């Protein structure tokens, strides 16, 4: 027994190491994102709009538990929330101020279909106006159809507990799609089925406040079935083929508190399986299993669910540490660790988990959109660190080749945080709920700063063809100085190189023979710029290659980083026309591209 125990522990620790990065030695400034990246903020109707008096959450906020206590922290009620319903135009300006290019929000079913057979056209028109206002401001609308709330009539029919009720959600989804899909391309069907289920049917802290593992499994199955049906239905409608429709999956990892304890490993696995793997398996293989030992075991097959999405939305916040017990009434508990930096929510800052979660959803081989990520931080003393580290984790995942198309920060502004009421401050903007004033938090600057950095293209370039070339003051190898502005009227080629770069060494004789020698007397200037090497090394390098065109120094790669990201590689030629505009960019030594560059130079010389 003992050996099996030890063997399993060794195996598990080896297979699932506890990933923790050495943040002291990571420079989170060193990250860059692609040019067409979707940057956004996210909200949900019930949390920000106000005046939702006809949905499951309204009833929940006004009900009491068996001890007569409010269900919501501090007895808060969503009430007028951030009055986003009326203030959306002003809020769009807040988004513009950050510099984002997209907004994820949800449409409130209970406002659109207040009773089972009534449609409120004014409510639909409102959402259309919101979308138009966003588009007019250069923001892409991303619409969520179900974000934890639905009409009371739907709740009273049994909500998602009953498969036969899914038809109502399909009706609502079809209605909204028909109304908005001419201007809305991105759709999220259901927000976080696993959170809806665990909080509403397992922990009992969200409506309907049940603690019924069997029913939890059933509701989870129904929600995923609803997603599948909605996906196929919307795809079959007008504009369906041009739309991007995805499911929003929250990943919270469950990790063993005691890495030497089999029970902690066991319950972590059970929880990861029901919370995350069951959904991934269904979307990947059509197989779903919801298994909680002694409490629930539900299996279901639906081949229509396989790849029933155009993107996977990932919501990631943190992980939980699990402690297993030999107590059937309380088989596990969640514990905090002293060494972790906590957020105001009962979980820690864990960017490594974000990186892992991105890898988990990448198994679906679908583009990923991070539909939520953010921190509750009332003191605003961890927000900056959170943003820098989580975005660094995102950057690392993208560097590894994961296809991530966008990131939405949760949340644009403080809002009604469900069972936690107004106590949790997730906003980039702080909201004073009595005056409805919004104030941009200091820590939120980090987000603004990162998303407004010059983006890079897939080759690591910050600049594009047509841009004005940045001005450089070059220190030449022979001790002279050249200012690029002095070269206006000539065609200039800047070649970024280094003595350790074999591709550069391969290319340099071609530059010498096919560019420098034939065109140097025709109005061309070619300057090699050696990236970050001392004078002596560069001198030797010049000798070895035998080139006769001039070389300049680039200590600290400061010149290089005006054109490309600092971490991107050398072997690049930047061709600048007579007016000082970038006309051609090469990367590595590709014969075809090199030829095209020569042709371009010839044309530019003639201009
Ligand atoms: C939900 C949001 C919520 C956020 C922060 C997500 O689970 O989609 O509605 O406010 O987490 O807790």
């Amino acid at each position: 027994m003992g050996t099996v125990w030890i063997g399993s522990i060794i195996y598990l620790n080896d297979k699932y190491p506890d990933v923790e990065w050495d943040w002291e030695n990571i420079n989170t400034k060193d990250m860059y994102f692609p040019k067409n990246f979707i940057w956004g903020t996210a909200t949900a109707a019930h949390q920000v709009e106000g005046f939702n008096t006809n949905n499951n959450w309204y009833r929940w906020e006004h009900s009491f538990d068996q001890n007569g206590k409010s269900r919501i922290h501090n007895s808060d009620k969503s009430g007028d929330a951030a009055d986003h319903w009326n203030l959306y135009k002003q809020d769009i300006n807040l988004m513009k101020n950050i510099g984002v290019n997209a907004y994820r929000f949800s449409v409130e079913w209970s406002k659109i279909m207040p009773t089972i057979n009534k449609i409120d056209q004014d409510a639909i028109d409102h959402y259309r106006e919101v979308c138009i206002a966003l588009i007019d401001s250069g923001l892409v609308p991303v619409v969520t159809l179900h974000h934890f709330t639905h009409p009371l009539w739907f709740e009273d029919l049994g909500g998602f507990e009953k498969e036969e009720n899914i038809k109502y959600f399909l009706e609502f989804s079809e209605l909204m799609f028909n109304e908005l899909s001419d201007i809305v391309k991105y759709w999220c069907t259901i927000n976080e089925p696993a959170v809806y289920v665990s909080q509403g049917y397992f922990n009992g802290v969200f409506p309907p406040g049940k603690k019924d593992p069997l029913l939890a499994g059933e509701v989870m199955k129904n929600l995923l079935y609803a997603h599948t049906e909605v996906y196929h239905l919307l795809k079959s409608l007008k504009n369906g083929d041009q739309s991007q429709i995805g499911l929003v999956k929250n990943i919270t990892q469950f990790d063993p508190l005691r890495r030497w304890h089999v029970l902690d490993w066991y319950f972590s696995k059970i929880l990861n399986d029901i919370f995350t793997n069951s959904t991934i398996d269904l979307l990947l293989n059509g197989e779903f299993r919801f298994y909680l030992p002694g409490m629930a075991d539900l299996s279901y097959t639906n081949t229509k669910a396989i790849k029933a999405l155009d993107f996977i939305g990932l919501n990631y916040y943190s992980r939980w540490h699990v402690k297993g017990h030999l107590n059937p009434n309380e088989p596990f508990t969640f514990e905090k660790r002293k060494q972790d930096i906590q957020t105001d929510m009962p979980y820690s800052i864990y960017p490594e988990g974000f990186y892992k979660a991105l890898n988990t959803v990448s198994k679906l081989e679908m583009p990923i959109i991070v539909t939520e990520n953010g921190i509750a931080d009332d003191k605003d003393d961890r927000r900056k660190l959170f943003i820098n580290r989580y975005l660094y984790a995102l950057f690392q995942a993208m560097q590894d080749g994961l296809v991530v198309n966008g990131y939405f920060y949760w949340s644009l502004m403080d809002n009604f945080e469900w069972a936690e009421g107004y106590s949790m401050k997730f906003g980039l903007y702080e909201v004073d709920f009595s005056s409805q004033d919004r104030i941009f938090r200091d820590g939120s600057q980090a987000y603004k700063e990162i998303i407004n950095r010059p983006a890079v293209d897939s080759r690591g370039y910050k600049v594009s063809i047509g841009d004005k070339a940045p001005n450089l003051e070059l220190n030449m190898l022979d001790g002279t100085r050249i200012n690029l502005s002095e070269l206006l009227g000539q065609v200039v080629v800047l070649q970024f190189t280094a003595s350790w770069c074999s591709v550069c060494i391969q290319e340099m004789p071609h530059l010498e023979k096919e560019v420098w020698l034939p065109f140097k007397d025709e109005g061309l200037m070619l300057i090699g710029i050696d990236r970050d090497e001392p004078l002596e090394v560069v001198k030797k390098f010049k000798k070895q290659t035998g080139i006769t065109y001039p070389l300049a120094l680039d200590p600290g790669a400061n010149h290089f980083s005006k054109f490309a990201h600092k971490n991107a590689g050398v072997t690049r030629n930047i061709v600048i026309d007579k007016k000082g505009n970038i006309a051609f960019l090469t990367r590595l030594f590709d014969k075809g591209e090199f030829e095209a560059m020569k042709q371009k130079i010839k044309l530019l010389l003639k201009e």
Side-chain angles (χ1 to χ4, degrees):
M1 179 68 185
T3 17
V4 176
W5 176 292
I6 294 168
S8 320
I9 290 296
I10 293 175
Y11 170 80
L12 290 166
N13 272 284
D14 187 55
K15 182 139 192 244
Y16 308 104
D18 193 29
V19 183
E20 293 201 352
W21 294 345
D22 175 12
W23 289 104
E24 293 311 310
N25 289 309
I26 289 177
N27 183 2
T28 55
K29 286 210 165 7
D30 238 348
M31 54 175 148
Y32 49 93
F33 292 90
K35 283 201 166 139
N36 49 4
F37 200 66
I38 302 171
W39 288 112
T41 60
T43 63
H46 190 78
Q47 296 181 268
V48 291
E49 276 180 357
F51 324 109
N52 277 313
T53 54
N54 188 26
N55 66 22
N56 50 336
W57 267 89
Y58 178 78
R59 180 185 285 163
W60 188 241
E61 291 160 25
H62 290 80
S63 71
F64 302 94
D65 65 14
Q66 57 274 38
N67 303 318
K69 268 188 69 199
S70 167
R71 311 285 191 169
I72 315 294
H73 178 77
N74 219 13
S75 303
D76 284 349
K77 313 227 172 346
S78 58
D80 1 349
D83 197 13
H84 184 58
W85 182 269
N86 294 309
L87 300 178
Y88 71 91
K89 284 199 181 126
Q90 173 192 315
D91 292 337
I92 291 173
N93 283 333
L94 304 182
M95 300 174 208
K96 277 168 55 184
N97 171 48
I98 305 169
V100 287
N101 54 30
Y103 177 47
R104 174 178 174 238
F105 61 101
S106 69
V107 284
E108 179 59 39
W109 185 3
S110 65
K111 278 183 173 146
I112 294 158
M113 292 181 147
T115 57
I116 191 162
N117 39 28
K118 190 178 160 222
I119 292 171
D120 185 338
Q121 192 58 42
D122 288 349
I124 296 180
D125 293 348
H126 167 84
Y127 289 115
R128 193 165 174 93
E129 279 157 27
V130 171
C131 293
I132 291 170
L134 285 165
I135 295 163
D136 287 350
S137 298
L139 290 136
V140 173
V142 177
V143 170
T144 304
L145 290 163
H146 189 275
H147 196 124
F148 296 165
T149 55
H150 45 241
L152 278 173
W153 61 261
F154 180 76
E155 182 81 342
D156 291 338
L157 287 172
F160 288 101
E161 290 173 21
K162 299 207 177 113
E163 197 181 306
E164 66 259 31
N165 289 342
I166 290 173
K167 61 176 183 280
Y168 299 111
F169 182 55
L170 280 161
E171 248 171 58
F172 166 65
S173 302
E174 179 170 0
L175 171 72
M176 292 318 288
F177 195 79
N178 284 337
E179 292 280 351
L180 298 177
S181 63
D182 57 329
I183 52 172
V184 173
K185 180 176 168 193
Y186 290 93
W187 295 82
C188 303
T189 55
I190 299 180
N191 183 68
E192 304 186 339
V195 172
Y196 178 88
V197 165
S198 54
Q199 300 292 67
Y201 290 89
F202 199 80
N203 300 324
V205 295
F206 279 18
K210 299 189 179 171
K211 293 186 180 179
D212 182 342
L214 262 182
L215 190 57
E218 192 62 27
V219 175
M220 181 93 164
K221 184 194 94 180
N222 287 344
L223 285 168
L224 294 171
Y225 178 55
H227 158 78
T228 307
E229 290 295 301
V230 170
Y231 175 78
H232 290 296
L233 171 67
L234 301 190
K235 289 309 266 188
S236 73
L237 300 177
K238 186 165 171 239
N239 301 321
D241 49 351
Q242 299 150 37
S243 301
Q244 292 286 305
I245 303 166
L247 174 75
V248 173
K249 170 81 195 96
N250 175 299
I251 291 194
T252 299
Q253 292 102 355
F254 297 93
D255 283 343
L257 178 72
R258 301 160 298 181
R259 298 188 59 84
W260 45 267
H261 207 294
V262 165
L263 269 188
D264 296 13
W265 280 100
Y266 177 70
F267 284 108
S268 299
K269 173 165 167 41
I270 295 282
L271 292 167
N272 283 320
D273 280 352
I274 52 170
F275 198 86
T276 292
N277 300 335
S278 58
T279 303
I280 304 282
D281 286 349
L282 180 72
L283 295 169
L284 209 52
N285 315 310
E287 300 291 345
F288 172 84
R289 185 169 182 211
F290 188 95
Y291 173 63
L292 267 169
M295 292 186 240
D297 190 359
L298 185 145
S299 300
Y300 149 83
T301 307
N302 181 6
T303 49
K304 271 178 89 185
I306 300 175
K307 303 261 172 163
L309 66 174
D310 301 318
F311 68 89
I312 179 74
L314 171 67
N315 289 0
Y316 186 85
Y317 290 89
S318 185
R319 65 168 162 184
W320 294 85
H321 280 102
V322 179
K323 189 173 183 184
H325 307 283
L326 287 169
N327 170 1
N329 296 323
E330 195 183 41
F332 55 84
T333 48
F334 299 124
E335 312 275 332
K336 283 187 185 172
R337 301 188 317 171
K338 272 208 261 4
Q339 65 267 45
D340 294 334
I341 309 174
Q342 299 298 327
T343 71
D344 294 350
M345 290 291 274
Y347 45 70
S348 63
I349 293 185
Y350 187 51
E352 297 89 335
F354 184 27
Y355 174 85
K356 276 169 71 176
L358 286 158
N359 278 283
T360 303
V361 291
S362 77
K363 285 189 210 147
L364 293 169
E365 295 183 344
M366 284 285 161
I368 302 166
I369 296 180
V370 179
T371 33
E372 281 181 37
N373 174 235
I375 182 173
D377 174 17
D378 191 17
K379 294 199 187 114
D380 196 32
D381 55 2
R382 288 144 291 167
R383 193 168 273 103
K384 179 177 169 191
L385 177 121
F386 178 97
I387 291 171
N388 283 327
R389 292 191 177 176
Y390 276 68
L391 284 177
Y392 185 80
L394 172 65
F395 163 66
Q396 280 306 323
M398 291 172 74
Q399 287 293 100
D400 295 349
L402 261 53
V403 182
V404 186
N405 291 343
Y407 172 96
F408 289 80
Y409 189 84
W410 184 272
S411 176
L412 171 67
M413 56 191 162
D414 292 343
N415 55 50
F416 179 74
E417 177 52 33
W418 309 113
E420 299 300 326
Y422 285 105
S423 58
M424 291 296 151
K425 309 293 184 187
F426 274 96
L428 289 172
Y429 285 89
E430 177 184 346
V431 176
D432 174 338
F433 290 98
S434 55
S435 63
Q436 293 298 359
D437 285 345
R438 280 89 157 122
I439 303 158
F440 197 59
R441 290 199 159 95
D442 282 349
S444 311
Q445 286 292 349
Y447 189 49
K448 188 169 176 176
E449 195 271 310
I450 293 168
I451 70 175
N452 286 295
R453 263 182 212 170
V456 292
D457 64 19
S458 56
R459 305 192 300 175
Y461 272 115
K462 285 179 182 170
V463 291
S464 307
I465 291 173
D467 289 357
K468 210 137 234 37
N471 197 19
L472 307 179
E473 175 82 31
L474 295 169
N475 285 333
M476 307 305 294
L477 209 55
D478 61 8
T480 59
R481 274 165 177 264
I482 297 181
N483 191 304
L484 268 199
S485 62
E486 295 160 17
L487 302 177
L488 283 176
Q490 296 185 54
V491 174
V492 177
V493 180
L494 301 176
Q495 180 227 357
F496 282 101
T497 185
S499 69
W500 45 263
C501 161
S502 59
V503 186
C504 306
I505 294 168
Q506 216 187 321
E507 186 190 50
M508 284 166 89
H510 295 272
L511 278 171
E512 171 77 14
K513 272 196 223 103
E514 296 165 49
V515 177
W516 177 238
L517 294 179
F519 303 127
K520 70 183 169 88
D521 298 326
E522 312 282 325
L524 174 110
M525 182 57 166
L526 165 62
I527 304 173
I529 304 179
D530 185 289
R531 191 197 152 128
D532 211 7
E533 293 187 301
L535 184 65
E536 286 319 305
V537 174
V538 185
K539 276 188 175 159
K540 220 167 113 199
F541 179 41
K542 180 157 194 211
K543 231 194 209 147
Q544 271 167 6
T545 52
I547 53 151
T548 63
Y549 59 85
L551 278 186
L553 299 166
D554 187 12
N558 288 331
H559 297 320
F560 179 84
S561 55
K562 290 197 172 128
F563 294 90
H565 185 266
K566 231 180 189 162
N567 282 357
V570 282
T571 319
R572 294 172 188 269
N573 297 299
I574 288 125
V575 180
I576 302 168
D577 69 15
K578 293 179 182 173
K579 292 191 189 123
N581 296 324
I582 295 173
F584 202 86
L585 297 165
T586 73
R587 172 79 182 107
L588 296 173
F589 181 43
D590 174 272
K591 291 249 164 68
E593 190 178 55
F594 196 83
E595 277 310 308
M597 175 177 79
K598 276 164 45 189
Q599 294 312 320
K600 185 74 193 176
I601 291 171
K602 273 189 205 158
L603 282 175
L604 292 174
L605 285 169
K606 279 192 203 132
E607 270 175 7

